[in-house]
Amino acid sequence: MVLANNAKSHANTLRVRRALCVVRVMEDIQIIEFIKELEEQVPKEGAEAKFVEFGEVALYANKEGYLRMALELMKCAFEETYTQADLNYLFSHDSDFGIEHFTIDRDQLKLLTS
């Protein structure tokens, strides 16, 4: 009887995990669609940002700049969209530095930084 209850409990746990995975996939798809919608509605024109180094680092951006930055960074969260992320257009020429590379893999980060 105890074994039967453990088996039922395990089966229920597996069903819940599968259901959570399906919900998670749906959420990812919804977020990716939301990113695509934002891409159309948040203009690149007028967006600006810059890093200023003065012993520390400050980030300046106007409203459009912060929105575009958030949008580009959200793309990095998903394998389907991270290669589309680009901040080069956003940082002004007088920015002390920009962000040239995005990576979602620690091994790739090691390659970039070695």
Side-chain angles (χ1 to χ4, degrees):
M1 190 71 156
V2 171
L3 289 176
N5 285 338
N6 284 342
K8 284 182 184 178
S9 176
H10 182 68
N12 286 336
T13 300
L14 289 176
R15 273 195 289 278
V16 168
R17 285 184 183 164
R18 276 191 227 116
L20 289 173
C21 287
V22 169
V23 168
R24 180 172 170 83
V25 169
M26 289 174 61
E27 288 175 357
D28 286 357
I29 291 169
Q30 290 170 340
I31 294 169
I32 290 169
E33 289 302 315
F34 181 63
I35 290 170
K36 289 177 184 176
E37 289 174 27
L38 286 175
E39 187 74 38
E40 295 174 9
Q41 296 192 22
V42 179
K44 289 182 178 181
E45 298 81 32
E48 59 180 85
K50 73 179 189 176
F51 286 109
V52 179
E53 193 275 324
F54 55 96
E56 296 180 27
V57 176
L59 171 61
Y60 159 79
N62 62 6
K63 178 182 177 180
E64 294 80 9
Y66 278 117
L67 290 172
R68 289 302 310 181
M69 196 178 322
L71 176 58
E72 298 297 342
L73 292 174
M74 285 188 334
K75 290 177 186 178
C76 294
F78 304 98
E79 287 187 28
E80 299 88 344
T81 55
Y82 94 94
T83 59
Q84 301 165 14
D86 176 24
L87 287 174
N88 288 323
Y89 69 89
L90 186 58
F91 286 94
S92 62
H93 296 289
D94 64 339
S95 183
D96 289 345
F97 56 93
I99 300 173
E100 288 80 27
H101 304 281
F102 296 106
T103 179
I104 58 173
D105 181 287
R106 288 185 187 272
D107 291 333
Q108 186 181 22
L109 178 62
K110 286 180 186 176
L111 282 173
L112 286 170
T113 59
S114 61

